Amino acid sequence: MNNGKVDWKGSYVAVVTPFTRERDIDLKAFRENLDFLLGEGAHGLVVSGCTGESWALTSEEKLQLFEVAVDLAGPEIPVIAGTGSLQTGVVIELTRRAKEIGTAGVMILPPYYCRPGKREILSHYQAVSDAAQHPILLYNIPSRVGRDLTPDLVEELAEVEWVVGIKESSDTFLRVETLLATVGDRINVFSGHSAERGVPAVLMGAKGFVSSMESQLMGREAIGMYDLIQNDEIEKAAKVQLKTLLLDQAMRTAGTFPANLKAGMNALGRTGGYSRPPLLELTSEEVERVHTILADLGVESAVSVS
């Protein structure tokens, strides 16, 4: 339960992990992207999540990224570290070390592949909370994990001492609304899939949203949706939301996420880098499609294919 442990709110960005062509982490590119996002007004950073290809990173690589992010963000911008993993012991160790590094908290998805039941999911989060005593953002993304943090389960998890929030990334907006009604007074509800529903989620009472595609391509325009709402510029926020929706839908037709996001960043002269196998670089036709999407939507600095 939050109980004032954190004051997370606003437009948080789940950042990419740039790799070189040799598939090493490109820390220079990582820093440049974080500098860009912070300069564009991001209220928080999420490192080593789905967008950051956490599945492709070793524990030591994750910790290295956490250190860089905390150093760049400083004390005012929360860095939330993705420490989710299959084994509870691994999550505990990663979370303890993320705490030592100075992260504001951690984001943890349910254990995947082993198909844990409700009792085991509760035990997993309870064990991490007890052992690490560091703010936990639940991460519900059943399309990737295979397990759904249903509202009744989240109601129980909200009573775990260090569970302070949830990033809700299931496919239905109704779930965000239900969580606001059932646990919104105890933990911070953030919406995932912000390209589709960031604005309505905040208008309904969500503390904010976690973005990826739109913020790292559109920069301040997309990141600023939250601030537009706070300034009662709802019509402007709605127009931006419709643009982010079109961008997200169109980018889904070109390559695999987040390789397509990285291709878009590269097209804009930013630091997307490459992905690690099994994800592959986009084909020349897919790259052409990305350039066309950016140009058609007027995303700033879109360049032509050479």
Side-chain angles (χ1 to χ4, degrees):
M1 183 179 290
N2 189 5
N3 282 342
K5 294 184 181 70
V6 301
D7 186 29
W8 298 342
K9 59 185 177 183
S11 180
Y12 284 40
V13 183
V15 300
V16 299
T17 303
F19 299 105
T20 66
R21 286 189 179 275
E22 293 72 36
R23 304 310 187 245
D24 297 317
I25 291 180
D26 189 338
L27 286 179
K28 179 176 181 293
F30 183 69
R31 289 189 181 95
E32 288 175 358
N33 187 41
L34 296 192
D35 279 336
F36 168 76
L37 294 170
L38 292 171
E40 295 293 286
H43 299 114
L45 301 172
V46 177
V47 180
S48 181
C50 169
T51 305
E53 295 171 78
S54 59
W55 51 268
L57 300 169
T58 67
S59 291
E60 291 305 315
E61 287 174 331
K62 292 177 183 179
L63 293 167
Q64 187 178 33
L65 294 174
F66 301 160
E67 288 179 350
V68 171
V70 167
D71 180 60
L72 283 177
E76 300 302 319
I77 304 296
V79 173
I80 300 179
T83 60
S85 186
L86 178 57
Q87 298 179 50
T88 303
V90 171
V91 179
I92 288 173
E93 178 61 20
L94 264 178
T95 301
R96 281 173 167 165
R97 294 183 67 181
K99 178 181 179 181
E100 292 170 359
I101 287 169
T103 62
V106 294
M107 184 176 74
I108 303 176
L109 41 71
Y112 45 87
Y113 191 77
C114 61
R115 298 177 62 82
K118 178 178 179 180
R119 183 170 63 91
E120 288 141 339
I121 291 173
L122 287 166
S123 175
H124 177 75
Y125 284 105
Q126 186 70 62
V128 178
S129 174
D130 291 345
Q133 298 186 29
H134 197 42
I136 296 170
L137 181 71
L138 306 172
Y139 185 16
N140 189 38
I141 185 164
S143 63
R144 290 182 177 270
V145 175
R147 276 291 175 263
D148 187 5
L149 297 181
T150 56
D152 64 307
L153 178 52
V154 175
E155 283 198 78
E156 293 190 53
L157 288 168
E159 297 303 317
V160 174
E161 178 63 29
W162 287 94
V163 169
V164 301
I166 182 169
K167 176 189 175 186
E168 176 50 56
S169 294
S170 58
D171 292 333
T172 171
F173 180 63
L174 177 61
R175 181 61 65 80
V176 176
E177 296 175 297
T178 302
L179 290 175
L180 287 168
T182 55
V183 299
D185 60 336
R186 285 174 284 165
I187 62 175
N188 291 13
V189 177
F190 278 74
S191 178
H193 299 319
S194 60
E196 302 173 356
R197 62 195 190 200
V199 169
V202 174
L203 289 174
M204 287 298 297
K207 293 294 186 180
F209 47 79
V210 181
S211 62
S212 56
M213 180 77 77
E214 70 275 20
S215 291
Q216 285 167 106
L217 293 179
M218 294 169 58
R220 185 177 296 274
E221 184 178 13
I223 292 170
M225 288 192 296
Y226 178 86
D227 290 329
L228 288 174
I229 298 167
Q230 301 309 305
N231 294 331
D232 291 326
E233 298 181 81
I234 307 303
E235 289 187 13
K236 288 183 179 180
K239 288 180 180 179
V240 178
Q241 181 76 93
L242 292 175
K243 182 174 179 179
T244 65
L245 174 62
L246 292 174
L247 174 67
D248 188 69
Q249 289 178 334
M251 289 292 289
R252 292 173 188 267
T253 69
T256 302
F257 181 83
N260 52 4
L261 166 56
K262 291 180 171 183
M265 294 170 66
N266 295 336
L268 294 169
R270 297 182 190 145
T271 49
Y274 303 90
S275 291
R276 275 181 174 166
L279 297 189
L280 301 175
E281 295 177 39
L282 273 62
T283 65
S284 58
E285 291 81 7
E286 289 170 335
V287 171
E288 179 71 41
R289 171 69 178 147
V290 168
H291 282 263
T292 299
I293 291 166
L294 296 177
D296 286 350
L297 288 172
V299 177
E300 186 178 359
S301 301
V303 297
S304 60
V305 179
S306 59

